[in-house]
Amino acid sequence: MSVRADEQFPGHEHGIRVWPPHHCGNLFCNTLLRPGLPCQRTQSVPVEVFLLHILFSGWRPAYGIYNMWVSLFGAVLCCAVMFVINWWAAVITYVIEFFLYVYVTYKKPDVNWGSSTQALSYVSALDNALELTTVEDHVKNFRPQCIVLTGGPMTRPALLDITHAFTKNSGLCICCEVFVGPRKLCVKEMNSGMGKKQVWLIKNKIKAFYAAVAADCFRDGVRSLLQASGLGRMKPNTLVIGYKKNWRKAPLTEIENYVGIIHDAFDFEIGVVIVRISQGFDISQVLQVQEELERLEQERLALEATIKDTECEEESGGIRGLFKKAGKLNITKTTPKKDGSINTSQSMHVGEFNQKLVEASTQFKKKQEKGTIDVWWLFDDGGLTLLIPYILTLRKKWKDCKLRIYVGGKINRIEEEKIAMASLLSKFRIKFADIHIIGDINIRPNKERYEIFNKSH
């Protein structure tokens, strides 16, 4: 009920407005669906909800006379009046509103409602992050939280995919890019692409964040990322980088920066994972060619549309259009030549594609064939070398792969070392297919092994 003199409703002579049954929805909306209004400047003060005030408290200025206990009383009063007016209409209203709530929650439309649920999500994430800071480190709650030096996430998708394979639903993953050069230009380029690259991650269903810094050199940028990324327990503890394939031909400064980044990570007590595939990770050249082809295709379609429109105009011009069309024959004859040149350039670019590189960039998105993951645990490095392969075997794409452990040991104690290693893995409940003890690990390799190694690199 609300106090109002209105002759259209019974009871107006007493100054009381009684809401008919079909107004139960209005009461329901006043009760539940307007939690943000006490934080806004409106002409009338609606009935607000006590619980929603607690859960969805925002930062905007609120009414000076607003009180959440009065809001609670008004909410309970609205619910009671709904059932007093008509109990079956109240039940139907609740059912309809509940169905709409479930539908919107399930569909998750890409619309900015400006709702207070965003404030709830932020406050919950902040509270949980603060609570995590009180949790002590333990081997059982350790999980890889990775900084991945992908540059733009779309330029090294294979490196991102293999990292996402053991961080998805388990740990933090931050795709990092360093812009090197004049600060003004770098900052402008960095800010213009951050939203686009984060959207690319969401579109490809990769649970990761994108971060970028501008620095005078690559190593300084990575050093800044290692020190400042993350908050509290949500701080990276593992650096993932690709193997520098051209280290034999690269300038000395690049080699020094690459090695220096590894040393910096160790100085900050951060683990390092170096991932290598034979074709390499960088597909930026392929992306550039694809963008060029798309641009040429758009130009070709625009040219065809222009020619078609011109022909339509000429046909509608009668005899004058006929003469104009005859005069345009030379243009239409030269058009296929231009199209032919476009096709030729397309074929040339397609011929330059490195098909193996394209296939390698998607190899970790596919289901892996049945085989083994060889783990060379040559010394006790804390267990990260063994933990990451084990997490991979828990994923659907890697479930057909088994762990095969290689451990350094002594020739005269191979069986003892094998039993001890099997006992350790069983203690941590890590399933494995086989264990191999390398007894001659401290012996220098012979010339044949050197040649095999150099050929493989």
Side-chain angles (χ1 to χ4, degrees), residues 134-153:
T134 61
V135 180
E136 297 181 358
D137 289 329
H138 193 275
V139 65
K140 291 183 180 179
N141 56 34
F142 175 86
R143 59 191 64 224
Q145 300 184 150
C146 301
I147 282 182
V148 194
L149 299 184
T150 58

Side-chain angles (χ1 to χ4, degrees), residues 125-397:
L126 183 61
D127 291 340
N128 292 333
L130 291 173
E131 289 179 2
L132 282 175
T133 58
T134 61
V135 180
E136 297 181 358
D137 289 329
H138 193 275
V139 65
K140 291 183 180 179
N141 56 34
F142 175 86
R143 59 191 64 224
Q145 300 184 150
C146 301
I147 282 182
V148 194
L149 299 184
T150 58
M154 64 284 294
T155 59
R156 291 176 176 83
L159 181 62
L160 181 57
D161 290 337
I162 188 64
T163 306
H164 189 245
F166 57 82
T167 60
K168 181 181 180 182
N169 301 328
S170 299
L172 176 68
C173 181
I174 304 177
C175 302
C176 297
E177 185 173 8
V178 179
F179 291 86
V180 179
R183 184 171 297 275
K184 289 184 178 180
L185 297 177
C186 290
V187 171
K188 183 177 180 181
E189 183 182 0
M190 178 180 68
N191 293 336
S192 62
M194 292 192 69
K196 178 182 178 182
K197 292 170 184 177
Q198 185 64 53
V199 169
W200 184 90
L201 292 172
I202 297 173
K203 183 178 179 180
N204 288 271
K205 299 181 179 180
I206 297 176
K207 297 182 178 181
F209 299 96
Y210 172 77
V213 295
D216 296 331
C217 70
F218 185 71
R219 183 179 179 182
D220 290 342
V222 176
R223 190 185 290 118
S224 300
L225 290 168
L226 292 175
Q227 294 180 85
S229 297
L231 292 172
R233 292 294 179 187
M234 305 298 292
K235 186 175 180 62
N237 53 29
T238 306
L239 172 66
V240 181
I241 59 177
Y243 180 80
K244 192 167 184 62
K245 187 178 180 181
N246 62 338
W247 64 273
R248 293 181 184 271
K249 300 179 181 179
L252 183 60
T253 55
E254 291 186 8
I255 303 299
E256 290 178 351
N257 286 335
Y258 184 84
V259 177
I261 289 170
I262 298 175
H263 285 288
D264 292 339
F266 290 152
D267 291 339
F268 298 137
E269 297 182 353
I270 293 177
V272 178
V273 177
I274 301 177
V275 187
R276 181 191 177 195
I277 58 177
S278 58
Q279 291 81 13
F281 292 104
D282 191 1
I283 64 169
S284 57
Q285 295 181 355
V286 175
L287 296 177
Q288 291 176 0
V289 173
Q290 289 179 349
E291 291 177 358
E292 182 67 17
L293 292 178
E294 291 177 359
R295 185 183 66 81
L296 292 174
E297 181 66 17
Q298 291 177 358
E299 291 181 356
R300 185 183 67 81
L301 294 176
L303 181 61
E304 290 180 352
T306 303
I307 294 173
K308 186 176 181 180
D309 293 340
T310 304
E311 291 179 351
C312 292
E313 292 177 359
E314 292 170 353
E315 290 177 359
S316 62
I319 298 176
R320 183 179 299 178
L322 183 62
F323 284 105
K324 289 182 178 180
K325 185 175 180 180
K328 290 285 186 178
L329 286 177
N330 292 332
I331 297 177
T332 57
K333 289 180 180 179
T334 57
T335 300
K337 294 182 179 180
K338 189 171 183 180
D339 289 341
S341 63
I342 294 174
N343 293 332
T344 304
S345 62
Q346 289 180 355
S347 61
M348 289 175 61
H349 286 299
V350 171
E352 294 174 359
F353 277 3
N354 190 337
Q355 189 63 28
K356 292 183 179 180
L357 179 60
V358 175
E359 293 176 356
S361 65
T362 59
Q363 62 178 318
F364 297 123
K365 294 182 179 180
K366 304 175 183 178
K367 181 177 176 59
Q368 304 300 312
E369 298 180 356
K370 186 175 182 180
T372 58
I373 301 176
D374 293 338
V375 181
W376 292 76
W377 198 15
L378 303 182
F379 60 92
D380 189 359
D381 57 355
L384 186 63
T385 307
L386 190 60
L387 177 62
I388 291 178
Y390 170 69
I391 295 177
L392 287 177
T393 58
L394 302 179
R395 307 304 184 192
K396 292 182 179 180
K397 296 178 182 178

